[in-house]
């Protein structure tokens, strides 16, 4: 990076400008000098006809090895809502190992709360399979903490899903 910056200064008389979809943490002691934040943009997907049944289909996406994605919070909410509403939930995430402690906690929660009939846990789906999953759901939830650069909620909006996420 330093060499690139020096070459850019020599050629153009100024430091290079970096455009980034990541704003960076406001509490970070490392500022992103000469960087400009550009929010994500997503092309709308083909419109999908509304579902023909009363089941509300809710999904979330988050890497299973990252507890900050709050899979368990999502599942606790589903458990609470399931007693009053007809719903189905899908949790999608990448997984490095089936022995991962957080992944095992997620699987155990589904079994121990008897959510097997309404919750699907899917790992390592291909991009096209994730895109098809958006098309079969109604609501997308991104319950993660300190999310630096999520794209999944934008993909969900592009597919016409209602999106629930935090401002962090």
């Amino acid at each position: 990076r330093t060499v690139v910056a020096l070459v850019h200064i020599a050629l153009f008389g100024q430091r290079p400008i970096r455009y980034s979809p990541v704003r960076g943490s406001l509490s970070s002691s490392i500022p992103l000098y000469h960087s400009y934040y550009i929010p994500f943009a997503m092309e709308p997907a083909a419109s999908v006809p509304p579902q023909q049944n009363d089941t509300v289909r809710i999904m979330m996406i988050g890497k299973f090895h990252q507890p900050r994605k709050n899979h368990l919070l999502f599942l606790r909410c589903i458990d609470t809502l399931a007693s009053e509403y007809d719903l189905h939930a899908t949790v999608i995430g990448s997984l490095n190992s089936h022995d991962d402690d957080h992944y095992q906690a997620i699987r155990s929660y589904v079994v121990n709360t008897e959510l097997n009939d309404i919750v699907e846990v899917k790992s390592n789906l291909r991009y096209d399979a994730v895109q098809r999953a958006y098309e079969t759901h109604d609501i997308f939830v991104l319950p993660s903490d300190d999310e630096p650069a999520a794209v999944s909620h934008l993909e969900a909006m592009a597919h016409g899903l209602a999106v629930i996420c935090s401002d962090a």
Side-chain angles (χ1 to χ4, degrees):
R1 287 187 199 172
T2 304
V3 172
V4 172
L6 291 174
V7 169
H8 198 278
I9 291 169
L11 292 175
F12 303 106
Q14 64 182 12
R15 292 185 61 84
I17 296 173
R18 186 176 133 239
Y19 296 98
S20 173
V22 180
R23 184 185 305 258
S25 173
L26 298 177
S27 62
S28 173
S29 60
I30 303 171
L32 297 175
Y33 294 115
H34 305 287
S35 295
Y36 295 90
Y37 172 69
I38 298 176
F40 292 106
M42 185 74 52
E43 288 292 323
S47 61
V48 177
Q51 299 257 342
Q52 299 300 317
N53 59 38
D54 292 333
T55 302
V56 177
R57 300 183 58 82
I58 305 170
M59 70 182 288
M60 79 158 288
I61 296 177
K63 296 174 183 166
F64 288 121
H65 67 276
Q66 294 183 347
R68 72 177 180 79
K69 297 293 185 175
N70 286 327
H71 301 88
L72 294 172
L73 173 62
F74 176 76
L75 292 172
R76 284 194 304 271
C77 292
I78 295 300
D79 190 21
T80 301
L81 293 169
S83 63
E84 294 184 44
Y85 301 98
D86 181 15
L87 57 88
H88 182 273
T90 305
V91 181
I92 299 171
S94 63
L95 179 63
N96 296 331
S97 168
H98 287 280
D99 296 330
D100 180 84
D101 290 339
H102 188 62
Y103 177 74
Q104 289 301 321
I106 293 164
R107 300 294 302 183
S108 294
Y109 187 89
V110 171
V111 170
N112 294 339
T113 55
E114 300 177 354
L115 292 174
N116 294 346
D117 293 337
I118 63 168
V119 173
E120 288 182 87
V121 178
K122 298 181 177 186
S123 61
N124 298 333
L125 295 183
R126 292 172 35 116
Y127 176 80
D128 57 329
V130 173
Q131 299 306 304
R132 284 193 306 274
Y134 288 124
E135 295 171 2
T136 61
H137 287 79
D138 307 301
I139 299 172
F140 178 83
V141 178
L142 182 66
S144 57
D145 290 329
D146 198 25
E147 184 63 58
V151 174
S152 56
H153 67 292
L154 297 172
E155 290 177 338
M157 284 188 271
H159 282 86
L161 277 69
V163 172
I164 300 170
C165 63
S166 74
D167 63 355

